[in-house]
């Protein structure tokens, strides 16, 4: 059975619409132009490219037979003769028994096949549900990285608008062997550095070089600097313990000393004589002065070297330093601390030259600091290299981005792959079973085919069609055998092909009888199809009302009642015929039938379910169309013409020509309405209308004036409510 027919993107079916059913008998009503032919043509040949958006569910169904204009053309207008219809003879009982047994076995196998297909569908649907859950989780990637700062949005190019594509992309990423060291935050920083407004090459940091580090190992600091020990004041200066203090005091001794004694620069008493000053000066001999001068020079160089050092800001405020700010500051302060201590020691040596000192070696702390500088410079160099190769770098970072996410979503992806593997194994197992069942069905069909070769004939089909023609009162032409597999239509007393001389109604009648026999019988000796689905599209469109009842009876007796047909779809434009086929018994109708309506508006054709109570006659249907402003202009105008023709020509027997001459309708705005609706004007060849002239309100007002002028305005008002 067909459970759903989906129509989309073809002819009047602009959007997606579906006929969903679980019933054997399905009746579809729709005015001409609403899409009935398109629907039946799709079922006739679903492989046509224009139907690529249409579908049938399930894909595999019972064999479908379609009666429509395509069927008539393929079987009558193109072929040299009708294709023979084979019916089983009852003469060969042994063959019949083989066929019956094989058909029973095929029925059993088909039930098993259906069960397996149901299991396969259930397995697929269950996996689809699991996959959807996994997709929903993975879709958070899109919402996370395409909102907010959007730094990593470029990594999702081509994936942002499609859940399936995004999911499959992540599944295809190979899981890293270990957790990636780089974080999303770090990745963002790198991308921002490459894509931001400040993205330009960065200078490397200078190494922190202290040019006076060799001073720290000078031997003078381990030397006790003393004056002339032979001087008479040597013992005194040694006892004072501060020769530097004494040496500094010499600068304050006057150049001319009083014989009685001049003021001492230390105690301010008149104790300094020329003799004492000479003795003190004699203590600080040339060797002493040289050492002191050496110390002074070393101090000056040391301090100058300190002043030349780059400031801490040079390192701490560089764009690549924030992560190492703490360690850089600590090590820089350690360098300056060592230099400060050494500076103090040099000054101490100058104050007490005799003191033996050892300056701290600053080389290790500077080397340690420069290790950090070197590490930062490596990052700067790497960045500058990446910036010079921006596109390839961004591509590489994109790869890292997906590796990080693959690791983060491993639980979801791994579970999905396990489910996929399990589902594929199960489906493969079911497919093997289905293959075996198909093979068994093929064997049984071969048995049927071999048995049918002994029993098939076309005489029974020919006779059946001819009897059907007689039952309908058609006696002036009949079917005759043409070859072993073909037959044709001839008129009584003639032998030439007469099909092309038939009226449209006669062609439709004979073609429909042929279709009935084709569905009841077998198309060839090898035809082993059992259950069938019949699609019947407007079998009364060219028939007089005399035959409509007969066609309805044929459809009910053959297609509705025979078990050979698992499902029937009848499409018609006639509400009368639609009503004729509808089962009036409420319980039987609910059990076996489903009613549908095809509607067409500016947005396209739609298939809607229809209740039994909604069935109207054709006249009411025309009013329902013109009362809907969304209907196509041509359809509305055509229905107005049918309303006028039906009501006045058949119901009221009025001459409308004078009505259309009324003064009100002579206004220029009603001319398009009059030309199209007034049937009397058609004989003058003026019935062509450009739908650009169509104005709904003007046409409605024109129709109202027609009914008003003829005295039926109340009828117009009542029908306008439909």
């Amino acid at each position: 059975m067909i459970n759903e027919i989906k129509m989309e993107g073809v002819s009047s079916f602009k959007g997606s619409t579906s006929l969903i059913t679980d019933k054997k008998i399905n009746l579809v009503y729709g005015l001409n132009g609403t899409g009935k032919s398109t629907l039946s043509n799709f079922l006739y040949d679903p492989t046509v490219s224009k139907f690529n958006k249409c579908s049938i569910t399930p894909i595999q169904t019972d064999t479908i037979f379609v009666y429509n204009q395509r069927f008539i053309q393929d079987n009558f207008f193109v072929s040299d003769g009708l294709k023979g219809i084979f019916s089983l003879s009852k003469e060969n009982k042994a063959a019949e028994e083989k066929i019956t047994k094989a058909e029973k076995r095929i029925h059993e196998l088909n039930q098993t096949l259906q069960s397996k297909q149901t299991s396969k569908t259930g397995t697929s649907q269950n996996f689809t549900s699991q996959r959807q859950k996994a997709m929903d989780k993975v879709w958070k990637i899109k919402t996370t990285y395409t909102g907010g700062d959007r730094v990593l949005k470029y990594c999702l190019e081509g994936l942002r608008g499609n859940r399936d594509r995004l999911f499959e992309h992540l599944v295809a990423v190979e899981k890293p062997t270990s957790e990636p060291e780089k974080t999303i935050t770090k990745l963002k920083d790198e991308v921002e550095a490459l894509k931001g407004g400040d993205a330009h090459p960065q200078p490397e940091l200078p190494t922190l070089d202290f040019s006076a580090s060799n001073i720290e190992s000078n031997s003078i600091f381990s030397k006790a600097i003393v004056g002339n020990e032979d001087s008479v004041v040597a013992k005194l200066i040694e006892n004072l313990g501060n020769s530097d203090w004494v040496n500094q005091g010499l600068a304050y001794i006057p150049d001319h000393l009083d014989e009685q004694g001049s003021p001492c620069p230390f105690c301010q008493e008149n104790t300094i004589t020329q003799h004492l000053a000479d003795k003190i000066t004699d203590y600080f001999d040339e060797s002493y002065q040289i050492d002191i001068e050496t110390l002074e020079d070393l101090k000056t160089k040391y301090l100058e070297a300190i002043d030349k050092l780059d400031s801490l800001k040079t390192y701490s405020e560089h764009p690549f330093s924030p992560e190492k700010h703490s360690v850089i500051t600590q090590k820089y302060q350690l360098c300056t601390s060592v230099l400060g201590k050494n500076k103090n020691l040099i000054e101490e040596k100058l104050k007490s030259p005799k003191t033996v000192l050892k300056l701290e070696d600053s080389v290790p702390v500077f080397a340690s600091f420069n290790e950090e500088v070197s590490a930062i410079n490596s990052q700067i160099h790497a960045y500058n290299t990446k910036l010079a190769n921006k596109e390839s770098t961004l591509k590489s970072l994109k790869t890292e981005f997906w590796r990080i996410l693959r690791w983060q979503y491993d639980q979801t992806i791994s579970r999905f792959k396990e489910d996929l593997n399990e589902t594929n194994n199960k489906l493969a197992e079911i497919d093997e079973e289905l293959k075996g069942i198909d093979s068994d069905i093929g064997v049984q069909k071969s048995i049927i085919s071999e048995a049918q070769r002994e029993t098939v004939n076309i005489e029974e089909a020919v006779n059946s069609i001819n009897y059907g023609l007689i039952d309908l009162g058609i006696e002036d032409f009949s079917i005759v055998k043409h070859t072993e597999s073909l037959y044709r239509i001839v008129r009584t007393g003639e032998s030439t092909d007469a099909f092309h001389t038939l009226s449209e109604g006669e062609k439709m009648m004979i073609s429909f009888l042929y279709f009935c026999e084709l569905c009841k019988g077998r198309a060839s000796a090898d035809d082993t199809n059992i259950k069938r689905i019949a699609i019947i599209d407007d079998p009364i469109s060219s028939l007089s009302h005399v035959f409509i009842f007969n066609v309805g009876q044929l459809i009910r007796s053959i297609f509705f009642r025979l078990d050979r047909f698992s499902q029937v779809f009848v499409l018609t434009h006639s509400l009368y015929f639609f009503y004729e086929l509808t089962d009036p018994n409420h319980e039987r109708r609910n059990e076996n039938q489903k009613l549908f309506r095809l509607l067409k508006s500016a947005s396209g054709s739609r298939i809607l379910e229809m209740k039994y109570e909604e069935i109207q006659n054709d006249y009411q249907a025309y009013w329902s169309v013109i009362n809907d402003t969304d209907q196509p202009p041509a359809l509305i105008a055509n229905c107005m013409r049918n309303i006028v023709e039906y009501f006045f020509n058949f119901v009221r027997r009025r001459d409308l020509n004078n009505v259309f001459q009324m003064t009100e309708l002579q206004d220029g705005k009603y001319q398009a309405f009059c030309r199209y609706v007034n049937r009397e004007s058609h004989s003058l060849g003026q019935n062509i209308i450009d739908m650009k002239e169509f104005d709904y309100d003007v046409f409605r007002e024109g129709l109202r004036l027609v009914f008003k002028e003829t005295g039926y305005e109340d009828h117009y008002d009542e029908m306008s409510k439909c």
Side-chain angles (χ1 to χ4, degrees), residues 129-145:
S129 176
Q130 294 170 330
R131 185 177 186 273
Q132 186 61 48
K133 291 178 181 178
M135 283 173 56
D136 290 341
K137 291 181 180 179
V138 171
W139 189 244
K140 292 179 181 178
I141 294 173
K142 185 263 182 187
T143 57
T144 299
Y145 295 105

Side-chain angles (χ1 to χ4, degrees), residues 666-683:
Q666 298 311 302
D667 190 312
K669 68 179 181 180
Y670 295 118
Q671 291 309 299
F673 168 76
C674 292
R675 288 202 310 274
Y676 195 78
V677 176
N678 183 13
R679 185 172 178 79
E680 294 300 322
S681 68
H682 298 173
S683 61

